[in-house]
Amino acid sequence: MAGANAAQMRHFLADTYLSFVYWTVLTSLGLCIWYFPLWHMGISGYEVALLSNISPVVLGVPCVRRVIRRHRAVGAILGLAGVAAYAIASPTQRLLAVALGSAGVSLSFGATLYTDKVQGTGRLERDIQAWEAGLLVSIAVRMLFQTNNPVWPAMNEANGGWNKTGLALGVLAVLDVVTRRSDAVAEVHEAKKHDLSPGTTKRQAAWVPAALGFGGLLFALHSMFSDSAIIGRWSWDGYPATGPQPVPWGGLVITALAAGFSVGHRADLATGMLWWGVGSAGAALITLVSGWPGFAGGLALGFYLGTVTRSILRAVALCPPGRTLFAGMLWYNILVLGHVWVVAYEFVPGGPLLRERTWLIV
């Protein structure tokens, strides 16, 4: 029993670190893309790399889905390309490596949700918890390194990067994934032995709402909560900023998000219209009101997003993986572009439509 518990803990730590890689690559892709429009002072064409995260669309092909299901480490290995990209000097080639990593982590996450939805094993719940824990680790690391992620490809030994350490830990985590396949098979057999269906429930979630919900959730977590300083800076006007500083108030942001994750198992609470109203009120406050009330609204929004994360990912897992994750990531990309357009220059096509209209995106 002790050995089994140790193995479960090892698996969870490996999954948490790979989730940290997921958030690292996700947040670094925009960073690498942004270099090119700034250099060219206009649309450069490299923005198309943003679409690398729609890679889960291949899960809609049965033969590909079977291969990915048998070889789950493929996506994680590709994801490490985004971590190893720091060693590439050329900005173009580095972006291509990060885009490959983005495709890998997105594919790995989608395949995990699809594969581990087997009832009676509890694997899906552990996967979601690891994904949440990876985000919290990513935020805490960025707080420690003054908003930088030490594993970003823009970092190196000269500016405080820990790229080699991050890559080595990633390799160890992938090795754990490779060696645990027999554990997954054993859990499925155990579920069958206790007359627990190895398939999904007969109730299928509606895939379009699930996709839109996932895309919106991912955008909100990325744009507003992937750095603990964002909410404090967003809620305050003027210079110098006299409101909540990144330290220590960023810790309160992390706490709000973690507290939301901790009650995410309460689907009756998370999916209620009353609770949706609370989250909407928080979003309105952070968007429209400056000062401490706006910061409080941001904390309420973070807590709300934490509570709904598990319910949304459960719904996504019950849907056809290819089209659901394709639509979800496409919606996420549209929101990301809209978020950029609110500060677009006049020469950017469509720039005046969304400029200074952040409330439309929220």
Side-chain angles (χ1 to χ4, degrees):
M1 181 63 70
N5 290 336
Q8 291 293 338
M9 178 58 68
R10 187 180 72 248
H11 297 336
F12 182 78
L13 291 176
D15 288 341
T16 297
Y17 186 77
L18 290 176
S19 173
F20 169 77
V21 171
Y22 174 95
W23 289 103
T24 296
V25 175
L26 184 77
T27 53
S28 67
L29 180 61
L31 178 69
C32 293
I33 291 175
W34 191 239
Y35 166 85
F36 293 95
L38 287 180
W39 181 262
H40 294 281
M41 291 302 293
I43 302 298
S44 63
Y46 291 99
E47 292 82 2
V48 73
L50 183 65
L51 296 177
S52 60
N53 55 29
I54 65 173
S55 58
V57 68
V58 301
L59 294 174
V61 181
C63 60
V64 175
R65 193 162 60 234
R66 285 193 295 270
V67 171
I68 297 297
R69 189 171 187 173
R70 293 193 187 104
H71 306 284
R72 297 182 58 181
V74 171
I77 292 172
L78 293 177
L80 291 182
V83 178
Y86 82 96
I88 302 175
S90 167
T92 302
Q93 294 177 7
R94 180 183 297 175
L95 174 60
L96 292 176
V98 175
L100 178 62
S102 173
V105 296
S106 299
L107 180 61
S108 176
F109 180 62
T112 297
L113 290 180
Y114 170 74
T115 303
D116 286 351
K117 61 185 177 182
V118 178
Q119 294 181 8
T121 65
R123 293 181 66 84
L124 180 60
E125 295 300 312
R126 293 197 298 270
D127 292 335
I128 294 174
Q129 290 169 4
W131 193 73
E132 295 169 343
L135 173 59
L136 294 176
V137 171
S138 173
I139 302 170
V141 166
R142 290 185 65 176
M143 185 178 181
L144 181 64
F145 283 82
Q146 299 179 331
T147 78
N148 284 320
N149 185 321
V151 192
W152 271 346
M155 304 295 288
N156 52 54
E157 292 181 353
N159 60 15
W162 287 31
N163 310 83
K164 293 179 181 177
T165 302
L167 188 59
L169 291 174
V171 171
L172 292 176
V174 169
L175 288 176
D176 181 83
V177 173
V178 172
T179 57
R180 83 173 69 160
R181 183 172 180 273
S182 59
D183 296 340
V185 173
E187 288 180 346
V188 171
H189 288 323
E190 186 68 18
K192 288 181 178 179
K193 186 171 68 174
H194 291 285
D195 295 325
L196 296 170
S197 170
T200 61
T201 60
K202 292 182 179 180
R203 175 181 173 273
Q204 294 289 315
W207 73 270
V208 173
L212 295 178
F214 173 66
L217 172 70
L218 189 62
F219 169 75
L221 292 176
H222 178 185
S223 64
M224 302 179 72
F225 294 97
S226 61
D227 186 332
S228 61
I230 294 175
I231 295 300
R233 294 310 189 196
W234 194 344
S235 62
W236 219 265
D237 294 331
Y239 180 84
T242 57
Q245 299 298 309
V247 179
W249 293 101
L252 197 56
V253 175
I254 299 175
T255 301
L257 197 58
F261 288 149
S262 69
V263 297
H265 62 282
R266 290 285 307 276
D268 56 333
L269 167 69
T271 58
M273 287 300 297
L274 180 61
W275 192 235
W276 175 83
V278 172
S280 298
L285 280 173
I286 184 63
T287 305
L288 303 175
V289 180
S290 299
W292 288 102
F295 181 70
L299 295 178
L301 177 61
F303 182 75
Y304 168 77
L305 291 174
T307 62
V308 301
T309 295
R310 198 171 305 186
S311 295
I312 290 176
L313 294 183
R314 284 172 183 160
V316 171
L318 290 176
C319 297
R323 63 189 183 209
T324 304
L325 289 168
F326 168 75
M329 295 309 299
L330 190 61
W331 178 234
Y332 160 79
N333 288 335
I334 291 172
L335 291 173
V336 168
L337 290 174
H339 202 218
V340 173
W341 251 245
V342 299
V343 293
Y345 294 113
E346 283 288 350
F347 60 77
V348 176
L353 296 177
L354 288 176
R355 193 151 116 204
E356 303 298 335
R357 294 183 175 90
T358 303
W359 61 271
L360 279 175
I361 305 301
V362 175

